[in-house]
Amino acid sequence: MIKAIFLDVDNTLFSHAQKKVPDDAMEAIHQFQKNGGLVFMATGRHVSELKELELDKLNLDGYVMMNGTIILDRNMDLAAGIQFQNEALKSLLDLFERKERPVALLEKDCFYMNYIDDRVRQVQVDYSLAPPAVHGWTGNPLYGGVTYVSREEEPEFKQNEIGPGVLVERWGDFGVDLVPHSGGKAYGLEQVGKVYNLKPEEMMAFGDADNDLSMLKYAGIGVAMGNGLDVVKEAADYVTDSVDEGGIANAMKHFGLI
């Protein structure tokens, strides 16, 4: 029996064509909650971006942020987190300070970049956000990083530019998240399971991109969006419709959750 669902944001829960969460998705989510189910966001995004997109007003039961490195409760207070430390922290800061490519550092409540170029500006437009601030590391704990690496560049990037203890999680054709090695969305689901006494087989996860693969495999039922990558569809237990064609609601109906 599915007791909780986990929803990726971009092109899964949030439609960039509509610039919002589709109405049918919201209705399905609220109906599932009324039926006693729990609904969690599971995203690579930072909490400040949720506020910018007004996704913090959805009344969800919790949030798996930055690919599982930060877990927030329904009030968006910190429930668990993994910081960069030791060699992993040095690797991330070296990349940030070399300024060979744009790099963002993610703290709990804010994030900033070493510099901004046209790639960053275009991605921010594509993901419905304004460019972040630019300044040096504040010295506060870091829970994640973001940089711009194409799929073709990724093998060389991993081998030559990033040091030990950093996991690369891809979220688009030109961007990757940098997380502590024990991170990943599956880790986030595991931590939520401990807090809410949920087993993997009681979870359903929805996603469309590379960084969703771990949680789709971890959850009892992994659902790929119709607009998702082929590799995600192949790994999923079920392929639903696209975000703009009722994908979330249709899958929940298919499995009898609403």
Side-chain angles (χ1 to χ4, degrees):
M1 177 182 177
I2 299 298
K3 297 180 179 180
I5 62 173
F6 294 79
L7 302 164
D8 171 53
V9 172
D10 295 292
N11 301 313
T12 297
L13 175 63
F14 186 86
S15 165
H16 288 280
Q18 300 181 46
K19 303 295 182 184
K20 68 172 187 176
V21 177
D23 293 340
D24 51 18
M26 283 309 311
E27 291 173 7
I29 288 168
H30 290 154
Q31 184 59 55
F32 182 62
Q33 289 176 311
K34 288 179 182 178
N35 293 345
L38 300 172
V39 181
F40 299 88
M41 190 177 290
T43 178
R45 283 189 179 267
H46 189 270
V47 63
S48 63
E49 295 177 310
L50 300 192
K51 294 177 180 178
E52 190 172 342
L53 295 171
E54 298 188 341
L55 295 176
D56 58 326
K57 300 178 180 179
L58 301 182
N59 296 317
L60 302 187
D61 296 288
Y63 304 81
V64 176
M65 305 299 300
M66 294 186 285
N67 289 306
T69 61
I70 281 185
I71 312 300
L72 304 176
D73 63 19
R74 66 177 299 110
N75 298 316
M76 306 199 82
D77 293 326
L78 185 66
I82 309 173
Q83 300 176 24
F84 276 92
Q85 298 182 43
N86 305 322
E87 282 189 315
L89 177 61
K90 183 180 184 301
S91 297
L92 181 62
L93 292 177
D94 284 348
L95 182 67
F96 182 81
E97 292 165 0
R98 287 200 306 268
K99 296 186 177 181
E100 294 174 352
R101 61 177 74 244
V103 179
L105 298 181
L106 281 61
E107 301 179 4
K108 175 184 176 293
D109 296 312
C110 69
F111 72 100
Y112 42 86
M113 300 198 71
N114 53 357
Y115 72 92
I116 290 174
D117 62 9
D118 288 342
R119 287 175 296 178
V120 178
R121 295 185 187 95
Q122 185 58 55
V123 169
Q124 295 301 106
V125 169
D126 291 344
Y127 283 81
S128 309
L129 294 167
V134 174
H135 60 75
W137 180 41
T138 65
N140 292 328
L142 299 176
Y143 293 89
V146 175
T147 193
Y148 297 82
V149 179
S150 70
R151 294 182 186 276
E152 293 74 22
E153 295 175 305
E154 187 173 331
E156 184 176 350
F157 172 76
K158 288 179 175 178
Q159 181 175 349
N160 300 323
E161 293 190 48
I162 197 69
V166 180
L167 179 67
V168 176
E169 292 274 1
R170 179 162 294 281
W171 48 262
D173 288 338
F174 299 100
V176 296
D177 291 317
L178 306 172
V179 298
H181 190 64
S182 56
K185 291 188 180 183
Y187 172 85
L189 268 63
E190 181 182 1
Q191 296 308 302
V192 170
K194 291 178 180 179
V195 174
Y196 289 87
N197 194 29
L198 294 168
K199 300 174 183 177
E201 57 267 29
E202 296 172 329
M203 302 177 180
M204 177 186 290
F206 290 74
D208 71 297
D210 303 77
N211 65 350
D212 298 316
L213 285 169
S214 68
M215 73 167 178
L216 264 61
K217 294 176 181 178
Y218 180 85
I221 300 176
V223 179
M225 303 300 290
N227 49 272
L229 298 176
D230 287 342
V231 67
V232 179
K233 294 177 181 178
E234 291 168 3
D237 300 297
Y238 180 75
V239 179
T240 188
D241 300 298
S242 74
V243 61
D244 293 308
E245 297 175 327
I248 290 175
N250 292 343
M252 292 173 70
K253 291 175 183 175
H254 174 81
F255 287 100
L257 302 186
I258 58 174

